[in-house]
Amino acid sequence: MGRMFMEECTEAAPRHDIPHTSHLLLVDDDPALLDALWGTLDTRFGHYTLDVCDSGARGLELAKQQHYDTIIVDVNMPGMSGLEFLTQVKQVQPQVPVLVITAHADKTVMARAFEGGAADFIPKPFDRDDIVQAVRRGLDLSRLQSVAANLGSRYRNTLQKLVVVRQELQQAAMQRLNKQAF
């Protein structure tokens, strides 16, 4: 079933029909790795939707159409590299955690990934538990960013209400003062 998603580069069906399903995007040109990661994530995560794609360009198209909670991208791909994808996807979805994976890991590539906004950098070959933990951390980061944004919005609304109430209090005080002066 995972192979079908890779070859057609289409969206996967949700695993469970629940309201707060995590939405992941996996971008890698290696069909064997896509299949292995799809299987690993399928067995380790209960409530998620996984879109898989074999090119950065197609992944970027999907990111323009759909919000993702975490994205996993390989560095070395034909056409658009994973680092180019990272730069462009951060313009479309600046808050999305992007996990960068690569078989050609070195400090320079890692530094470029983090400078580009990567949330994590995972060298290949990797232990399945490591990638699962990285995805969990990415999803946690996504969830916390969402909570912080909601709190920020509520905080701004509260501040606006506070300004209105303060103005009303000042106006009432001025009215009382004006009544006493006469």
Side-chain angles (χ1 to χ4, degrees):
M1 187 169 176
R3 177 74 80 195
M4 174 187 68
F5 297 127
M6 290 178 296
E7 290 175 355
E8 295 178 11
C9 201
T10 60
E11 296 181 28
R15 301 291 177 253
H16 300 279
D17 190 22
I18 62 168
H20 298 291
T21 299
S22 297
H23 202 159
L24 307 171
L25 174 62
L26 174 56
V27 184
D28 197 317
D29 63 325
D30 179 354
L33 182 71
L34 284 173
D35 200 36
L37 276 177
W38 182 83
T40 296
L41 296 174
D42 192 48
T43 58
R44 302 283 182 99
F45 290 93
H47 310 295
Y48 76 100
T49 303
L50 176 64
D51 296 344
V52 296
C53 195
D54 63 359
S55 76
R58 178 65 178 134
L60 189 59
E61 286 177 30
L62 290 173
K64 288 177 180 177
Q65 299 168 10
Q66 173 67 49
H67 167 77
Y68 289 100
D69 298 302
T70 298
I71 296 174
I72 306 164
V73 63
D74 185 27
V75 170
N76 295 313
M77 294 183 291
M80 181 185 294
S81 76
L83 294 177
E84 291 172 282
F85 171 83
L86 174 64
T87 299
Q88 292 188 34
V89 81
K90 284 298 189 171
Q91 293 173 8
V92 176
Q93 295 189 34
Q95 297 299 317
V96 67
V98 179
L99 314 178
V100 175
I101 59 176
T102 184
H104 306 285
D106 63 37
K107 290 181 181 178
T108 302
V109 174
M110 183 172 70
R112 287 181 56 209
F114 285 131
E115 287 169 5
D120 205 344
F121 185 85
I122 304 138
K124 296 178 189 175
F126 47 78
D127 182 271
R128 288 180 187 207
D129 289 335
D130 290 341
I131 195 75
V132 167
Q133 287 306 314
V135 170
R136 283 189 205 286
R137 285 189 303 267
L139 292 173
D140 286 345
L141 179 59
S142 183
R143 182 184 53 78
L144 290 170
Q145 289 174 157
S146 178
V147 167
N150 288 336
L151 288 175
S153 171
R154 275 201 246 155
Y155 180 70
R156 281 189 297 280
N157 289 340
T158 301
L159 284 177
Q160 289 170 348
K161 289 177 186 176
L162 180 63
V163 168
V164 169
V165 170
R166 185 173 287 154
Q167 289 172 343
E168 290 172 353
L169 288 170
Q170 290 172 351
Q171 288 172 353
M174 287 299 287
Q175 288 173 354
R176 282 192 305 273
L177 183 63
N178 289 335
K179 284 182 184 179
Q180 287 182 350
F182 295 107

